[in-house]
């Protein structure tokens, strides 16, 4: 599984790194970014939760 952030849609709320800290972090620009190319299987549920919880739908997983 992979996770992606749409930087233009991201508002920098910080929800995704709080839900999936092994997958997301806040970047210097105040917006989220992914920190892994492939989401570890142990973090897949958290990445999907972050995707469904994002208030601007800025996260996509596949």
């Amino acid at each position: 599984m992979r996770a992606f952030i749409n930087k233009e849609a991201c508002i920098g709320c910080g929800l995704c790194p709080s839900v999936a800290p092994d997958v997301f972090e806040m970047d210097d620009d105040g917006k989220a970014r992914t920190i892994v190319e492939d989401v570890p299987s142990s973090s897949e549920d958290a990445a999907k939760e972050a995707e469904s919880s994002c208030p601007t739908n800025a996260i996509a997983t596949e």
Side-chain angles (χ1 to χ4, degrees):
M1 166 192 267
R2 296 180 77 144
F4 305 93
I5 299 281
N6 176 340
K7 289 272 198 169
E8 291 186 20
C10 179
I11 60 172
C13 71
L15 179 83
C16 54
S18 69
V19 171
D22 294 337
V23 181
F24 306 103
E25 70 180 8
M26 299 309 289
D27 207 350
D28 292 338
D29 63 4
K31 297 189 176 191
R33 72 178 190 103
T34 56
I35 54 175
V36 292
E37 188 165 318
D38 294 308
V39 176
S41 59
S42 61
S43 298
E44 286 182 0
D45 288 342
K48 289 178 184 177
E49 181 181 342
E51 177 184 26
S52 65
S53 300
C54 179
T56 62
N57 298 313
I59 299 171
T61 60
E62 59 180 45

